[in-house]
Every structure is written in C-alpha cells, then in structure tokens.
Amino acid sequence: MAAPSVFLSGTLPPCPVRFNAAAWCLGADVPGDREAFVAVDPAKGPILSLSFDALRDRVERAAGALIAAGVSPGDRVALLIGDVPEFPIAYFGAIAAGAVATPLSSQLTTVERRTILDRVTPKVVLGGSEATLDATALAAGPPAPFAATRRDDPALLVFTSGSSGKPKGVLHAHRAFWARQSMRAGWHGIGAGDRVLHAGAFNWTFTLGVGLADTWSVGATAILNAGTRAPEVWPGLVDAYDATVFAAAPAVFRRILKYGQELRQGFGSLRHGITAGEALSPAIADGWACATGKPLLEALGMSEVSTFVSTPPGRAAEEAIAGWPQPGRHVAVLGNDGQPVHHGKDGVLAVHRSDPGLMLGYWRDPDANKVAFAGDWFLTGDLVRMGKDGAITYLGRRDDRMNAQGYRVDPAEVEAAFNACDGVAECGAAEISIKDGLSVIALWIVAEDGVRIDRSVLLAAAETRLAAYKMPRELFQIDALPRTANGKLMRRALRDARAVPL
C-alpha cells in the first residue's frame, strides 16, 4: 500500500528568542559601501541609490520618526504611499521600531481603504487621504536603535488579494522572516553577489519578501521599478542594471514573450527567473526558456505562509509539477477526513503548525482562524497531488472548483487546455448559472493580437486535450482578464466582466 503524503526534509536552526526582523535583514556581513537598493524609473533612470550603510541609516531614522510620532511596539503603521523609493524604508522602519508594518495597495478604492483602516486601527498612516504623517518626515527622524522584539511578536499585517472572496488580514511574527531561509536553497538561490530585479508592486508580499528581505539578508542588491511596468521595459532594465535574478508573476513573463522582441541579449546577465502568485503554465515556461536560454523557477505559496513548495536551482522542472517542499518545511496532503492521503491521491495541501513561517493568525477574525486548521495542520485550500519524492502537482484552488455533470473540475486544467490552442493569449474559466439548478463551465478568452477566434475551430483543438465533461459550454471573448493589483486572476469577477459571446 502506498505511503501517506507527508513530507519533512531537514530542519531550520531555531530562530533566536530575541529577534528583530529588520535588524536581521539589514545585518548582512558585507562592506557598508556596497550598493543595497536602487529605485529606477525606466524613463528617467535611477532615482535613488543607497549603500548598505546609507540604507541602515535611513531605516533607523524612519524608526526614530515613527517613535517620535507616538508609535509603540505592537502599534500598526499603515503604508499607502505607493511605488515610491520611500516605501521599503518606511516598511523596514516600522518593523525596526517594533511596530506592525501594514502595507496596502495604493490602488484600493476609498471604501476599500476605509474598511481596512477601520479594522486595523493604525497609530500612523503614511500616504493616502487619511495620512497622519508625511512620509518625507521619515528621513529627518533621529536614528533609533532596533527594538528588542521577540521572535513571536507581530511584525507584519498583510491583506489577502481577495481573488477568492473578502480580503483577510494575515498577521505574521518576526520569525517569519527567519523562516524565509528555506527559500534560498529551495527556490530562488539568491546570494551576496546577486542583483535582483523585482517586477511587482512595492506592497506585494512577493516583492517585500524576495525583492527586499531575502535579497538584503544575504547582502545582495535590490532593484525595484518605480515607473512604468510596460512589458517592453524589462529587457532594458535587466541589461542596464546587470540583474542576475528577475522575479515576476507568470503574467509578466507572458506579456514579455508576447512583446516579441529578441530576448537573449536583453536577459543575457540573468542566471534565472523566479515566479509566483499563480500557476505557471508550461507554455510560458517553455517559451521563456526557448527565448532567453534561462530557466524559470516556480514557487507555490500564499500570504499565510509565503512560498513553501518550489523548484530549486539546478533541478529541472517536470511537466505539471509545481515543485518540491523546501528544506525544513513540514507539509502533507489531506483528505476530507483531515488525514494524509496516499501518494498519488488528490487532497488539500497543508502545512504543519510548527512551521516558523506560518502566520500568527487572521486579524480579528476568529471564525476564519477556526476553520483554517485541521488538528495540527493549516489548510492552504490548494488542491494537489504528491508523488513519492515529494513532488507536488498543483490542481487548483478548492474553492474555485467547478461542477460539471456531477464531476468536480479544476479551472486551471480547463485553462491549460485552451491556453495551448493557437490564437489564445490567455483565458479564465469559471462556473456560471444558466437557470435555477443548472450550472455550466464557461471560458473567457483573450485573443492574440490580430486573431479572430473561431468557436468551432477552438473547441475542436481543445477536445484533443480535455475530456468532454470538462469542456466549457459557454465561450466569451474579453479584452483583458480581471486581475488583482498583484496579477492574480480573479475568477469570481469573470461572471460580471464585459465580454462578447462566441
């Protein structure tokens, strides 16, 4: 009989009891004059460049300014200042002061912003119409020592993207930054000599984690784009700033490939690209490797525990495999009874309570905290299958699964089949109700430039890749798929999107 799908590979050294995440991230043993941070506008060039010594000074001054404004350990500091060079400094300054950094998207509507701020009750708000402190004041603050926080003290409050429902506040401890060491060997492989260009918004946890915290903790250089993120700018930025690692959501790599220029020269300095945020399609992975000669390393994760399954450097990604559990991660695949299923069986991916990277809990949401765990396991909501070597096949989100003729169908599987068809730039699948008691699978398609989608031709092509019961009954053409600010597909919003039936 096959063994249960539980995987534990090694352990991390325990996080020190006295631990301040900002001090640790900025404490790399590197020359103080080494370049630490570059904020660039593709149209203007670099707009801020800081050495490690200068960066530490700016963070200590930001902490001092926040303390002078009345911030005490445990207070929330809301960051609404957008993609500006001051954002990372304010973020680490808040953590350095012992406060709880709360990064928010500057794209939130007034109602969304007000709703979150009412839940967070921040001591200080930086940016937005609710600002209580001007971000420029952070540079003039008196330097403050890093707060003597403990590993389980709260350090970060982030809000989920809302791609599958109401955004939830996710509270992380300082130890979550320590736990990120699992990603170094298990995914991005960033070292002291690297120059890391991240394509994400400054408030995104992918950017804050990989683009800044992981990069600085090993003494590498972080490069962020504070200007346009049009697909054509990235080859030039990689080339101009000698980036060795390029991090972005899969949609960014897809848009770059669609742009169609010669990519090998523009990405010549790269060692590899890394991607997270949504599933990486084989078409994008293969297209990128062919166009640049460099691999894309995928990671599976979520705000509650960051990334924990990934493809490490030097290990060839296998088709349909999202990756392997990172060193030190204790994961399992659970059935409906909350017990591990056997290898090769579908179930919900779960992370053990003991994982130091796991959140402290959902912010002021006891109901969500109650259903998030099954015994000692945190339930991610990701449907997966685990092989004997721990390889994880991603099957989609549990709450995204569609019902077709009594069968449960994963939208990612439908999307993959149609993404492989000629003329389809990208697509999104969701279940829709056509009358009381009857729902069908629908597909929203973005066509490649200049392509007219023929319904019959498209369905004929997809029928070779997809079982009949999984085929969408309704097809729509749409100009762009609805996505969150961080690039995640919002399948629930597809039903209300303006589209043309095919």
Side-chain angles (χ1 to χ4, degrees), residues 77 91 115 145 179 225 344 365 384 410 422 457-458:
V77 174
Y91 171 74
T115 298
N225 182 351
D365 196 340
V384 302
D410 169 34
D422 292 340
V457 172
L458 182 63

Side-chain angles (χ1 to χ4, degrees), residues 426-427 444-447 476-482 493-494 497-500:
E426 61 178 346
C427 61
W444 288 259
I445 300 163
V446 178
F476 302 93
Q477 188 163 339
I478 192 171
D479 291 336
L481 297 179
L494 286 167
R498 181 174 297 179
V500 178

Side-chain angles (χ1 to χ4, degrees), residues 113-312:
R113 191 167 63 242
R114 187 70 266 166
T115 298
I116 290 177
L117 291 177
D118 286 346
R119 290 170 62 188
V120 170
T121 60
K123 185 72 173 183
V124 164
V125 179
L126 294 168
S129 58
E130 298 85 0
T132 59
L133 181 66
D134 192 323
T136 60
L138 300 181
F146 291 96
T149 49
R150 302 173 72 89
R151 62 189 176 197
D152 289 323
D153 289 342
L156 172 62
L157 177 59
V158 296
F159 280 80
T160 60
S161 63
S163 58
S164 59
K166 178 183 176 182
K168 295 191 288 288
V170 177
L171 187 64
H172 276 290
H174 284 264
R175 58 173 162 75
F177 291 74
W178 175 268
R180 298 188 63 86
Q181 294 176 87
S182 291
M183 303 177 203
R184 197 176 303 161
W187 179 30
H188 54 62
I190 296 172
D194 278 311
R195 297 175 61 81
V196 181
L197 173 63
H198 203 295
F202 288 15
N203 69 286
W204 192 14
T205 52
F206 185 13
T207 311
L208 295 170
V210 171
L212 297 174
D214 295 351
T215 297
W216 288 338
S217 69
V218 297
T221 301
I223 308 164
L224 295 185
N225 182 351
T228 177
R229 291 187 171 85
E232 61 267 24
V233 306
W234 298 113
L237 289 179
V238 169
D239 187 50
Y241 294 91
D242 296 321
T244 56
V245 177
F246 179 44
V252 174
F253 290 102
R254 180 191 61 77
R255 294 187 191 110
I256 294 172
L257 290 170
K258 184 179 178 182
Y259 182 64
Q261 72 175 68
E262 172 56 47
L263 299 179
R264 284 187 181 270
Q265 183 175 357
F267 290 97
S269 61
L270 278 191
R271 190 168 72 256
H272 54 247
I274 58 174
T275 188
E278 61 181 345
L280 175 67
S281 73
I284 296 175
D286 294 344
W288 183 262
C290 290
T292 67
K294 309 296 171 65
L296 276 184
L297 307 179
E298 181 183 11
L300 180 64
M302 59 193 307
S303 299
E304 289 85 343
V305 69
S306 195
T307 71
F308 52 100
V309 169
S310 53
T311 299

Side-chain angles (χ1 to χ4, degrees), residues 472-486:
R473 297 299 185 263
E474 299 288 340
L475 297 179
F476 302 93
Q477 188 163 339
I478 192 171
D479 291 336
L481 297 179
R483 295 184 178 275
T484 68
N486 294 330

Side-chain angles (χ1 to χ4, degrees), residues 398-465:
R398 178 170 58 179
D399 49 13
D400 278 340
R401 279 213 164 176
M402 306 173 293
N403 193 316
Q405 303 175 30
Y407 294 95
R408 300 298 287 172
V409 179
D410 169 34
E413 185 178 5
V414 177
E415 291 159 3
F418 280 85
N419 277 326
C421 295
D422 292 340
V424 176
E426 61 178 346
C427 61
E431 181 182 328
I432 61 172
S433 175
I434 57 175
K435 62 181 181 180
D436 290 344
L438 179 60
S439 295
V440 299
I441 296 173
L443 188 73
W444 288 259
I445 300 163
V446 178
E448 292 180 349
D449 289 344
V451 172
R452 180 181 177 277
I453 298 293
D454 184 301
R455 177 188 173 97
S456 60
V457 172
L458 182 63
L459 289 175
E463 284 174 351
T464 64
R465 303 179 176 92

